Amino acid sequence: MTTLIQYASLHPTPWKNGGGCTTEILASPPGATLDDFDFRISLATIAQSGPFSLFPGVDRTLSLVDGGSVVLDVGNERKVALSDREPVVAFPGEMPVSATVDGTPTVDFNVMTRRGRCSHQVERRVFRDYSELERRSALTVLFLAEGDALTVHSERERMSMVLYDAVVLDREHTWMLEAPRATVYIVDIIPDHDKDEDMAE
């Protein structure tokens, strides 16, 4: 079932260390906690410099959506400056990561999948007027990261999105995106058994 998730209906959860807050957009299975989710998609505001929580056995992709740059110290091995030029970074959840913000809070789109259950792919797409989306997995999530409004439609359905809304696309295979200008993130969630079937073929 195709589902529109309106950002205005969601509620942020403050971090225990006071360094920011997280708004969960979608998680599976429903009602899953941070300890037992298969996948989790969220939007976080980083207001202060500090370490990230560790998630052993989880793969993460973090994308800068708004605000100043943030520098990530990833496992004391590399530093990544998330900015408009390089807005996306992927890393294992068990790796120690600390963030340094430049004084301006940042808004970050976060995708996490638990190894052995599923994996994910994240595509950042910037377009004007029209863009066609061909679904590549059983579950695709579309997130509007920049732009006042976006219309998403297939042959049978049409939905209107505003900033930070998300749509779960799990029926039609081809969708048309329409907006004067928009930046979207397309997240494909791939169950591990799907990958096994692909290998068997």
Side-chain angles (χ1 to χ4, degrees):
M1 179 178 180
T2 304
T3 305
L4 172 65
I5 302 173
Q6 296 178 311
Y7 181 72
S9 69
L10 306 177
H11 303 285
T13 301
W15 297 353
K16 292 181 180 179
N17 65 7
C21 62
T22 298
T23 301
E24 182 177 281
I25 296 172
L26 182 67
S28 180
T33 68
L34 292 177
D35 297 320
D36 60 6
F37 64 81
D38 291 346
F39 70 84
R40 186 172 186 256
I41 300 173
S42 60
L43 197 66
T45 298
I46 304 176
Q48 299 176 9
S49 301
F52 285 3
S53 299
L54 297 177
F55 289 93
V58 170
D59 290 319
R60 300 186 64 173
T61 299
L62 190 70
S63 308
L64 179 67
V65 170
D66 192 23
S69 65
V70 55
V71 177
L72 302 183
D73 189 348
V74 183
N76 296 317
E77 297 175 355
R78 61 185 174 118
K79 288 185 182 293
V80 179
L82 287 183
S83 64
D84 290 337
R85 295 182 61 184
E86 188 177 355
V88 182
V89 63
F91 54 91
E94 61 269 19
M95 182 171 288
V97 176
S98 61
T100 302
V101 296
D102 63 4
T104 303
T106 67
V107 179
D108 304 274
F109 183 61
N110 182 39
V111 181
M112 299 192 289
T113 49
R114 194 172 303 278
R115 277 176 235 129
R117 299 184 190 176
C118 56
S119 61
H120 67 271
Q121 296 176 346
V122 176
E123 176 192 344
R124 180 178 184 266
R125 184 182 297 184
V126 180
F127 71 93
R128 293 180 182 273
D129 298 327
Y130 302 96
S131 183
E132 187 175 271
L133 170 58
E134 294 280 352
R135 285 187 43 239
R136 296 159 295 196
S137 62
L139 180 64
T140 300
V141 179
L142 176 71
F143 173 75
L144 179 57
E146 183 180 5
D148 293 332
L150 171 67
T151 299
V152 185
H153 65 88
S154 67
E155 291 183 353
R156 299 185 183 125
E157 297 183 80
R158 175 179 291 268
M159 286 161 288
S160 296
M161 303 170 64
V162 296
L163 187 65
Y164 298 164
D165 282 356
V167 171
V168 183
L169 306 173
D170 61 356
R171 288 186 60 189
E172 307 292 340
H173 288 285
T174 303
W175 293 82
M176 184 64 69
L177 315 180
E178 297 182 16
R181 185 183 185 281
T183 300
V184 298
Y185 283 91
I186 302 163
V187 181
D188 289 300
I189 303 295
I190 305 115
D192 271 15
H193 65 77
D194 285 358
K195 294 191 295 183
D196 293 340
E197 290 173 359
D198 290 343
M199 292 177 63
E201 293 174 357

